[in-house]
Each structure stands twice: as structure tokens, then as C-alpha cells.
Amino acid sequence: MPINRIINGLGQFQTNYFNSHQEFFQQLSQKQTPEILFITCSDSRIDPNLLTQTKPGELFVIRNIGNMIPTHSTLNSSEGAGIEYAVAALNIKHIVVCGHSHCGSMKALLQLNKLNEKMPLVYDWLKHHGEPIRRLLKENHADCSEDELLRIAVEENTLTQIENLETYPVIRSKMRAGLMSLHAWVYEIEKGEIRAYDSECGRFCPLNSGAFPIPDPLAFVHH
């Protein structure tokens, strides 16, 4: 896509959408009050606001390669700083970790050694933060087909990030008080469908509007 298309799009936004919603953007300029932190992959096929049909100001978003969240003990983590700000300053009530089908990061994780020379920074990121998933797959799902292994990798990675979120004291204390819930989702690109982890049955199930129960705040907390 040529850069001119983006520049033209900015002009159209200013001329059309912004001009007809000036009061809304004036309110946005004063403060933000999102109740949901949406953590997802940098993949260009994922658009959190389009997917959830939300407006600017309704989602606080963190994106990176593979929607991975370093544990609280990791120093100098941009993700950790974003999480702390969202929870402590914005009083976020729900955190969604959303993986997705055909995830290039999970494909790379399954063939990690091939990355070291070509993309050393990607290799280091996946090696450091994806090792639990890689080992789990190697030791428990070695006989699966390539497609099945990728599906499992996406799901297990999403759940691992939920576990990593639980290491943050600011999150854990709010969950204990019943003030915050964590949600593990997987977006199926080709279906336009979300599957959400149901802790009661221990698997990802289709998330239908109004039909899926909101997780118990302590559902993911390990006792």
C-alpha cells in the first residue's frame, strides 16, 4: 500500500469524520476512561477496535510480537509499565489477552533455530518469553500435525500470558478483591470468530454475544 494512500486517508478523516465528531474528540482530549486493557499481537491483520466495534477511548491497547507479557520480575519492560499504568492510573477492570490464528510468532517459535541468523532480535524475544510454550509443546504434543500444533501453540501462549499477568501484584490484589477479571481469547481470522477460554470446562469455546459467562475474577488465580 503506497504511503500516499495513508496520507489521503488522514485528509479524509480530518475533513469528514473529525469534522462531524468534533465534540466527541474535544471530550477525548480532556481524559481517557477505558475499562478494558486489550493485549494482542502486532500482526497487521488484527484491529482491536474493528474487531470489538469500539470507539477511540474505550480500549487501552498493548501490542507486540506474539502478544507476550513478560513476568513482573522482568526489568525495563515496556509491557509491564503499560500494564501498571492501565491498572493503577486508569483503573482497568478487565484485561483481555487475544491471540490469533495463523500467528507468525507461534510459527517461528515452532522453528526457533532457523531465526537466529536471519532475525536475531525476534529470536531473542521468542526464546526468552516463549520458552515455556516451546517446551510444553515439545514434551506433550510432539505427535501432532503441523496445523494442530500451531493451534495448540496459539492457545497455550494465550494462557501463559494470563499466568504472567498474575505475577503483577497490582493485578493479583485487584483480582483477589473481585475488582478485575482476566480473559483469554483467540481470534480466528478466516471466520471472524472469537474463542474464549472457559475455565469451567478447561477449553476455548466460541464467544457468542450475550451467551458466554464473564469469568470469575479468581478463575485464573492459582491457589
Side-chain angles (χ1 to χ4, degrees):
M1 178 173 63
I3 190 66
N4 285 343
R5 180 176 169 186
I6 296 177
I7 295 173
N8 290 337
L10 288 172
Q12 292 172 17
F13 162 75
Q14 293 166 348
T15 302
N16 300 321
Y17 191 88
F18 180 82
N19 282 342
S20 60
H21 295 81
Q22 288 192 42
E23 184 178 348
F24 170 69
F25 283 100
Q26 179 61 36
Q27 293 172 353
L28 276 185
S29 71
Q30 303 304 311
K31 63 178 180 178
Q32 59 171 325
T33 56
E35 294 188 357
I36 299 170
L37 167 57
F38 199 94
I39 300 170
T40 193
C41 187
S42 299
D43 194 301
S44 63
R45 297 168 292 183
I46 314 302
D47 185 333
N49 292 108
L50 178 63
L51 182 61
T52 59
Q53 293 292 282
T54 48
K55 298 177 182 178
E58 292 183 329
L59 295 180
F60 191 80
V61 179
I62 293 176
R63 304 184 69 162
N64 65 25
I65 299 297
N67 45 268
M68 291 180 169
I69 299 301
T71 59
H72 180 262
S73 61
T74 304
L75 297 178
N76 300 322
S77 162
S78 171
E79 291 80 10
I83 290 165
E84 185 176 73
Y85 178 79
V87 176
L90 299 179
N91 198 29
I92 291 293
K93 294 178 174 58
H94 297 275
I95 301 179
V96 175
V97 179
C98 186
H100 66 95
S101 61
H102 310 289
C103 181
S105 300
M106 292 302 100
K107 290 179 181 179
L109 187 63
L110 296 174
Q111 305 177 51
L112 193 57
N113 291 333
K114 296 181 180 180
L115 278 179
N116 198 11
E117 183 175 340
K118 186 176 181 180
M119 290 183 281
L121 294 179
V122 176
Y123 172 85
D124 287 344
W125 172 261
L126 293 177
K127 176 64 177 175
H128 186 70
H129 299 295
E131 180 61 19
I133 300 99
R134 192 192 68 81
R135 183 167 293 277
L136 184 150
L137 295 171
K138 181 178 179 181
E139 295 180 358
N140 296 277
H141 302 284
D143 296 332
C144 291
S145 68
E146 186 175 325
D147 288 345
E148 182 68 4
L149 199 60
L150 179 58
R151 181 191 66 79
I152 295 172
V154 168
E155 292 182 354
E156 291 293 345
N157 178 57
T158 304
L159 293 175
T160 295
Q161 307 322 310
I162 293 289
E163 293 177 353
N164 290 348
L165 285 169
E166 292 175 3
T167 67
Y168 288 76
V170 69
I171 290 177
R172 197 169 183 87
S173 62
K174 290 212 172 208
M175 290 179 67
R176 288 291 185 186
L179 299 175
M180 177 175 289
S181 297
L182 305 183
H183 310 258
W185 292 1
V186 171
Y187 170 49
E188 300 287 347
I189 297 174
E190 62 273 39
K191 298 179 182 178
E193 178 181 278
I194 290 286
R195 290 186 294 113
Y197 185 75
D198 186 339
S199 58
E200 293 185 1
C201 66
R203 60 189 177 89
F204 285 81
C205 303
L207 179 59
N208 299 314
S209 178
F212 197 91
I214 298 298
D216 186 304
L218 300 182
F220 291 106
V221 175
H222 299 157
H223 297 281

